[in-house]
Structure formats: C-alpha cells, structure tokens
Amino acid sequence: MKPRYQKLLRDAWLERGRFAAMVGAITAALVAVGTVLGAWAILTREIRRNYLETHPADATLELGVDVDAARLADVRALPNVAIAEAGEVLRARLSTPDGLRPVLVFVADTPATATLAVQALEAGAWPLPDGSAALERSAASLFALAPGDALDLRFAGGERVTLPVSTLVHDPGLAPAWQERMAYVYVSRTTLSGALGHPAALHDLRVTFRDRASTEDVDRAAQALAASLTAEGVPVHALRVPPFERHPHQRQMSTLLLVLASFSGLSLVLGAIVVATSLEALLARQVREIGVMKTLGATRRQLVGAYSLLVAGLGLSASILAIPLGLGGAAGLSTAVSRLLNFTLESRLPPAWVPAGILAAGIGVPLLLSASPILRAARVTVREALDQHGVAAGTLRPWMASWPRALRTVIRRPGRLALNLALFAAAGAMFVTAQDVSAGWAANLAKIAETRFDDVEVRFAAPVDEATLASLSAIPGVLRVEPWGYAGAAFATGEAVDVSRTWPDRGHGSLSLFGVPPDTTLVALPVTAGRWLRPDDAGNVAVLNQGALVQRPGIAVGDTISVSVEGVARAWTVLGTVEEVGSSGAIYVPKSAFPAEAGTAAMVRVAGGAPGAVEAALDAAPIDAVIPRDELERAVGGHLALLVQSLTGMALVMALVGGAGLASSAAVAVIERTRELGVEKTLGATPAQITRRFLAEPLWVSGASVLLAWGGAVPLTLLMNAVIGQVGFLAPLPFAFDAIAAGEWAVLAAVITVAATVPPALRAGELTVQEALAAT
C-alpha cells in the first residue's frame, strides 16, 4: 500500500471517535432521506395500484330510467365502451351509541361479480347473500361493527331497516370512513328491492372507455355517450367524471411527501457540512504533516485524491449503515400512511433506485461540500505549513474590545460562525415550524366555530314544510332555525350534459348551490374579494368559496358564471368570494333567486339543541344527512397528526446534525488555539477557567441560533401554511406562532450544545503546557 494511504488508515484509527461522529451525522441525514424517498416511492406506487385494482369507472351517467339488462347490452355494443354496469348510491343514516351517522349505500346487480368499483373480501360470506350487507373495513373499525352484527339504517323516505352484516370488504377507492365520519355499505339489487323495500331500479350507468388516456379523453367519450342516450329518448340527469385514475387523496399525499423530501434533503446537506467541518478540523491538526509530505514529493493532486478517498470512505460507511435503516423507516412510514388512507401495501420494498440514490448521495454530497477544505489544505505551501503553530486566524474590530471574550473569540471566525448558525438555526426553525403548523391547523379549525353559529345542519331529500320547521323550533334549547336552499350543482360547459368532478363517494370534488335566507345570522364567512350577500340583493347574484374557485380557476368578482342544477343552466353574476373551512365547492345565492327546480328549502341550520333531539324530532322526515358541527370539526381535525410528527422528527434529526457540527467546530478551535492555551496556562489560567470559556463560546452560538431559528420559523411557517393549507383546505392556514414550542427549542438547543461541546472543552482544560508547546 502506498505510504499516503497507510497514513490515512492510521489517521482514521487515531481519530476514530471523530470519524465515528462524522459517519453518525451523515448516517442520520441519509436515514431521513431514505425514509422519505422510500416512502414516496412505495406509497405513490401502492396507492395507484390499490385504486386501479378497484377498476374505477371512467364516468358515471345518472339516468332518469332503470339501467336494465337490455340497456346495458345496448351500451356495451358501442365501439368505444369497454365495460358498462349498473349501480346506485343511496344515502341513509346508521344508528350508533353516539347517535345517527351518515351512510352511503352502494348498490350493484351482484357485488361479487362486478367488474367496476369492485371491493376486496376481508371477512365473511362472498358472494354476498341476499338480504344482507357488506361493510367497508374502515367503517367497521370506526363504528365497532363485525360480521354477525346488524345495521339499523334509516333512509331518506323515513324507512327504518335492520340489515345483517355478513361480510367485511376493503374499498381503497373511497376516502377512509374515519376521515369522512360515515359508513360505507354494499348491497345487491335483490336486497335493495327485498330487505330494503326500495324499487329495484338502478339509475347509475358506470362506464369504462377503450380509447382514453386523460380526463379530457373521458370527457369527450362520456359526452358522446350522453348525447347518444339523449337522442334515444333516455334522460341523462348528471355526468360525473373524477380525475383520471387518481385516488381522492393522492394529490394531498404526494404534496406532503414532497415537503418532507425537501427537508430531508436539507438535513443531508447539513450532515455533509458537518463532515466538511470535521475534515477541516483534521486538516488543521495535520497541516504541518501535509508540509512534510510535500517536502517528500507529494503533489497537490495526490493529496486531493487521498483526502477525497477518505471522505468517500466515510460516505460509503454511512451509506452502508443508512440503507437498511432508511428502508426500514420507509416501510414504517408507508405503513402508517397506508393505514391513514385505508389502502393495503402489497410490498414494503421501494424500487432499486432508492438505495442507489442513498449511496450516491451519501458519497457525492459530502465529497462536494468537502472539496473546499481539501483544496485549501492541498494548496498550502511547505513554508506556510511548517510555520503553522496552532494560532487562530482572524481579526477583531477595535469597537469589539468591550465585548465578552467568548463572544469576541466566536466572531473572530465569521465563516465558521455562519456555518454553525446555519446548522442549528435550520434545525430550530424546522422544529418551531412543525408546532406552528399544528397551531395554524388548530386555528383554522376554530374558524368553523367562528364563522358558523349553527350546531346541526340537516339536509333533506325533499322540500321542507312548515310543520317540520315548527317541530324543530319546539325542541328545548333550540335558539334559531333557518331554512336554506340546497342542491347539487355543476359548472355549465355548454355541452349536452354538464360534468362534475365528483368521486364515487359523492363528496370529494362536489359542487353545491345554497339559497341563503336574507336575515341569516348563522353564517358569517370571511370575504376574500368583493362582498357577501345583502338582504336586499335580488336577481341572479352569487358568492363562491375557494372550493368552487378551484373547480373553475380564473373567476373574478363581476364575472358571469353558468351553473347547472338538475340539468338546467342559469347565469349568475359573481359578487364576491369567501373562505370556508370544512366544505367542498359551494356557491351562495339569495334564497329568493334559488332555482325552483331544486326545491325551496332543502336544508335547515339549527342553532342550539342536541343533535339527538333534532334527529328524534325529524324521525319521519325525508332526511338526506344530519351533520353536527362537532362531527365536522373531528372529520377535519384528524388529518394532521402524522405530518406534525414527521416534521418534528425531521427537526430532531437536523438538531442532532447541528450538535455534531458544534462539536466539530469546538474541536477545531482547540487545535487552532493550542499555542494560545499553552501561553494562558503559563500565565496561570486554571483548567476550570479554560473549560468554562470553551463552553461559553458555543453557548453564544447556540443563543444566536435560537434567535435566528425563531425569525426563520416565520417565513418557513408561512410557506408551510400555504402548502399544507392548500392541500387540506384549498386556502393557506392562518399564521400562529407557538411560543411554548419556541421556548422548548431554546432549552433543547442549550442541552444539545452542552452535550456536544463538553468533550472538546474538557480536552482544552486538561491540555498541559508541555503538550501545547509540543504541538507547536
């Protein structure tokens, strides 16, 4: 082996503690990178596989007649139709110990033989026995139900039916029941007409087309099919085309993983900086040895190659350690997210590019960031190297003379100071941001109570009569009852049938039209542009929330929009836009202008009174859904826990990396000031005094980094609020600074700083005069 490589191996053994710290820092960062990248690869693959294995329909056409066998045969004979099946979705309510909860009842001719919107068997009988129901597994978990239990269902017509659960199924094409706070039930056409007592007619025509590769292709094919049916005299009431081959929560999941990936990449850069500073410490100690090697004929290229090989070896060692840990972390994070979104992981192994990427990053990033200290050391001349006596470089301004000595010493190396501040401040900003985002999410949830003053929202399947309103007003504790107009809607496009982007759950991507009473006191939504409706507003004027604006981008105050309800399009002038938490797309219009074809009072808001009492008073009414406000808050509030935990974990990784950076800088300071320490000890400085001073210097850095972290958390929180708010609410989260989290970080930063710098500070205090002079 060549002498220079023998020297590197000997150096590695003698500096094994420092090298272990370097490997540990880069390993921690690589584990974070591997966890997030691996989870991204696994989850994007698995959520798509789960969704496509349900064979989701490209489009659903709601017909005004039964989709019987003859009609299906006609549609299947069309050249561009690959699959066509009949279905129906009914709304009901499930009786639970906590009250009545909303239910979606999915009906198919025979669920076990369906080829579109299929479910996977989890437990029980399959094919589904007539007269019984299958329950989606997330709903079974939410409501503590199992095969053999009975469902007490109440339908919009007032019918009350008890239906046994014979089967549990998994339907990854739907949002999890615990997020939507509702149950998913599956029955056959025979059960629909027999046990449930409904007409056997199914009105949904579910279709998959042959020639399609995008949502636009499906739109064209679905419009052509609708036109064909209309020409044959078949009424088409609605056309639903969800985004092509995309799970309802796929965009949200991908966005949040992208956020985590960005911060894991930052942690890798910070880890590589620690390697670079640690290498600088090694080179500072060996600068005279480098001069000797140059005297014996070593070239600059040989020195650069040797030390680059050393860094590459460190990166390789860290990568070898990080790959299995990162893949394990990816499997764990993927499992947690899959449970959160109710899909199944077929494999927890990421593709081969993930470990290859970890390896490349583990070697390449430290090499890139270590290039500067290596080149700087290799350029040192023999005379400069042999004249090195361990004296710290840097100068001070005269006006700094009155500053504390520890602070003056820290500032003497502005480059190193900036590096350490950046390391620790980034970690602190991430830590505080994670808690600020959580606080912002909570503040956004509070907007529900701040903008809606009703306690229960009741949606009816038919117009509400005066007797029903009177029965609600008579409930003890009820303060106000407001009848509103309500109808499903779609933006009109001028085509034969207007398209809505609604998924099969009828909630995600939906658009609703609300008729607002002129004297309403139960809703006060914050206006983002223009103005809210006034009592004297008449005619076709409208206010849109952010969910509606997302469905039709570019709408501004003063524009005219065309909205279709029950197939009839009407023009509305936009008066303003509002922000609304916990709602899909909504258009608010004066109740006096609410379309007659949609009914005059299909929704009632009730202030005061318990939801159970409202349910009891409306026992025989045609209720479509009852939505207590506290249930809405729970449905919206449970989405953030995993994200906050992930951000906090990433911040702790960055904090550990920052601590390693401080330890490295402290070690470099001891090496640079060896002669200075010898002089101080000759003049009577005690080991305790020197140790305290070497501890004080990093604490100054830590204190400054805390201030920078608090300041940096503000723009970072604003950025995260914009990204996460857009995903969760289609609007930024409100800014909220968590002072407790800021204080927690200050304490944590001090603890990490002391733990990281005690060893080099003790070494500085224990250094003897003889050792100091020998080192020079």
Side-chain angles (χ1 to χ4, degrees), residues 85-106:
E85 292 182 350
E88 186 86 352
V89 180
L90 303 174
R91 293 188 182 273
R93 291 169 294 150
L94 172 67
S95 180
T96 73
D98 297 325
L100 295 173
R101 294 294 178 259
V103 178
L104 287 181
V105 181
F106 294 91

Side-chain angles (χ1 to χ4, degrees), residues 244-258:
F244 184 63
E245 294 186 348
R246 196 169 74 193
H247 187 277
H249 285 165
Q250 188 165 336
R251 181 181 67 88
Q252 292 91 327
M253 183 196 73
S254 298
T255 301
L256 297 182
L257 286 174
L258 178 61

Side-chain angles (χ1 to χ4, degrees), residues 241-467:
V241 180
F244 184 63
E245 294 186 348
R246 196 169 74 193
H247 187 277
H249 285 165
Q250 188 165 336
R251 181 181 67 88
Q252 292 91 327
M253 183 196 73
S254 298
T255 301
L256 297 182
L257 286 174
L258 178 61
V259 170
L260 293 178
S262 300
F263 286 110
S264 67
L266 176 60
S267 71
L268 175 60
V269 172
L270 296 179
I273 290 175
V274 169
V275 172
T277 56
S278 298
L279 183 64
E280 183 184 16
L282 178 67
L283 295 174
R285 176 174 292 181
Q286 296 188 357
V287 65
R288 300 182 80 185
E289 297 175 18
I290 293 174
V292 171
M293 286 191 287
K294 283 199 167 187
T295 301
L296 298 177
T299 66
R300 179 185 300 180
R301 176 175 297 181
Q302 289 173 332
L303 292 172
V304 169
Y307 283 106
S308 296
L309 183 62
L310 176 64
V311 174
L314 294 174
L316 178 62
S317 301
S319 300
I320 292 173
L321 293 173
I323 286 173
L325 295 175
L327 297 186
L333 180 58
S334 300
T335 300
V337 173
S338 67
R339 289 173 180 169
L340 183 73
L341 298 182
N342 191 35
F343 63 89
T344 302
L345 299 180
E346 184 178 80
S347 171
R348 290 175 173 81
L349 287 177
W353 64 262
V354 173
I358 295 175
L359 181 62
I363 297 175
V365 176
L367 272 176
L368 179 64
L369 294 179
S370 299
S372 177
I374 291 175
L375 290 173
R376 190 165 54 248
R379 283 197 297 263
V380 172
T381 65
V382 173
R383 178 173 180 175
E384 290 171 338
L386 296 179
D387 197 38
Q388 176 61 253
H389 297 293
V391 179
T395 57
L396 291 174
R397 304 297 181 189
W399 51 269
M400 295 182 183
S402 61
W403 290 15
R405 183 176 179 180
L407 179 59
R408 296 200 311 268
T409 304
V410 167
I411 296 177
R412 187 160 53 182
R413 282 286 197 175
R416 184 179 302 152
L417 173 64
L419 179 62
N420 285 327
L421 287 175
L423 280 169
F424 233 38
M430 185 72 253
F431 181 89
V432 177
T433 294
Q435 310 310 314
D436 287 352
V437 169
S438 180
W441 189 283
N444 218 38
L445 284 180
K447 287 184 180 179
I448 297 178
E450 295 168 359
T451 60
R452 288 183 46 174
F453 311 112
D454 58 329
D455 295 287
V456 185
E457 179 184 306
V458 186
R459 296 181 180 180
F460 295 85
V464 182
D465 55 28
E466 292 298 327

